[in-house]
Amino acid sequence: MKSFPTDQIKLAVFDIDDTLLPRGRFALSSPTKKAIHQLHENGIITIPATGRGSYNTPAQIIDVLKPPFLITINGHIILKQNEIIKSAPIDRQVISELYAFCFSHHLSLIYKTRDSYQHVLDANIDKSAKQERTSKDIYGCFLIPPPNFPISLLAKQFPSLVFTKGGDGYDVYGCDADKSFGIELVLKQLNLNWENVLCFGDAENDLTMIQKAGLGVAMGNACGSLRAAADVVCGNAEDDGIADFLNQLFSH
């Protein structure tokens, strides 16, 4: 394990899916809850940084982390005490072009608005052209391509967007915001810097925060690029990797 002064840690940031919560589970394990409680006992603030919206962040995550800030939709909406303090919607023209591309190439598409997910295209049932189904600002998307679809086509077609693998599809968000963007805003609010940050993640959308953190931790189940960028790799999410790592880190 990388030698790291634990008294330097003031903020612990957690991705949710396949990090705090293993795939298919909806509740934190007892060891994970206990380890987070110990962080609080040590005066460390804990917050989530997620591709989810605040509306589908599990209540138990909020109850256990007790976060003064929420970094949601990959940094496109940041909340403080449930009030939005920064938001970055994706350009409407870009969203319209993405919709048209997904329709013509048979990709399923989900919009992430301020207050809901909207399933706007289902490749299995949408067979005829139709207008977009929302006039709300869009802060991110999730798309599911057909098997063997060359995702590089999307990256080339939409240079202002980021496409990162997650689960059975891709998180889509703007180049002007990501999780590290949200963390930097939180650090300014708390008068801290990146050296004070401990981060946990598993996927490509966690890369920048793992790279910038004083101590960046990749889950054992993380993608290869994140494992390579991290300071240390802990155990798998389903094996209480976070709890085991924190217990070891603070036992020294």
Side-chain angles (χ1 to χ4, degrees), residues 18 201-203 206 217-227 233-237:
D18 290 324
D202 76 288
D206 300 316
V217 184
M219 305 304 297
N221 51 277
C223 64
S225 60
L226 199 75
R227 290 167 62 94
V233 178
C234 70
N236 292 349

Side-chain angles (χ1 to χ4, degrees), residues 66-181:
K66 298 177 171 54
F69 299 90
L70 298 177
I71 298 170
T72 68
I73 315 184
N74 291 304
H76 278 260
I77 295 183
I78 299 100
L79 300 97
K80 179 180 182 181
Q81 305 298 342
N82 294 320
E83 296 292 332
I84 295 176
I85 58 173
K86 188 71 175 180
S87 64
I90 299 173
D91 182 81
R92 170 56 64 178
Q93 182 61 35
V94 173
I95 289 293
S96 295
E97 292 172 2
L98 179 64
Y99 179 95
F101 183 99
C102 289
F103 178 84
S104 63
H105 290 81
H106 309 292
L107 279 66
S108 297
L109 182 65
I110 299 169
Y111 287 164
K112 300 178 184 182
T113 72
R114 175 177 174 174
D115 52 17
S116 67
Y117 281 177
Q118 296 193 3
H119 295 251
V120 293
L121 277 176
D122 186 329
N124 295 317
I125 61 175
D126 289 319
K127 303 299 184 183
S128 59
K130 42 179 72 72
Q131 298 296 315
E132 289 181 77
R133 301 173 185 171
T134 183
S135 59
K136 295 182 178 181
D137 282 338
I138 309 301
Y139 295 89
C141 303
F142 191 79
L143 63 83
I144 304 172
N148 302 316
F149 182 84
I151 201 68
S152 58
L153 283 180
L154 279 161
K156 183 178 180 180
Q157 184 78 14
F158 299 96
S160 66
L161 298 178
V162 178
F163 300 86
T164 58
K165 188 74 173 72
D168 59 354
Y170 288 83
D171 256 324
V172 184
Y173 49 96
C175 291
D176 57 340
D178 61 13
K179 292 183 180 183
S180 69
F181 168 85

Side-chain angles (χ1 to χ4, degrees), residues 189-201:
Q189 295 263 331
L190 298 174
N191 197 27
L192 299 173
N193 58 55
W194 278 105
E195 292 181 353
N196 302 123
V197 179
L198 166 64
C199 277
F200 292 88

Side-chain angles (χ1 to χ4, degrees), residues 18-69:
D18 290 324
T19 301
L20 275 176
L21 286 179
R23 185 173 300 275
R25 295 189 194 173
F26 302 96
L28 294 174
S29 69
S30 293
T32 298
K33 288 189 287 185
K34 183 176 179 181
I36 292 171
H37 176 72
Q38 189 58 52
L39 290 177
H40 295 158
E41 290 291 304
N42 290 331
I44 297 170
I45 297 168
T46 58
I47 66 172
T50 179
R52 294 175 179 241
S54 59
Y55 40 83
N56 74 327
T57 297
Q60 190 200 44
I61 298 288
I62 304 302
D63 291 342
V64 173
L65 292 184
K66 298 177 171 54
F69 299 90

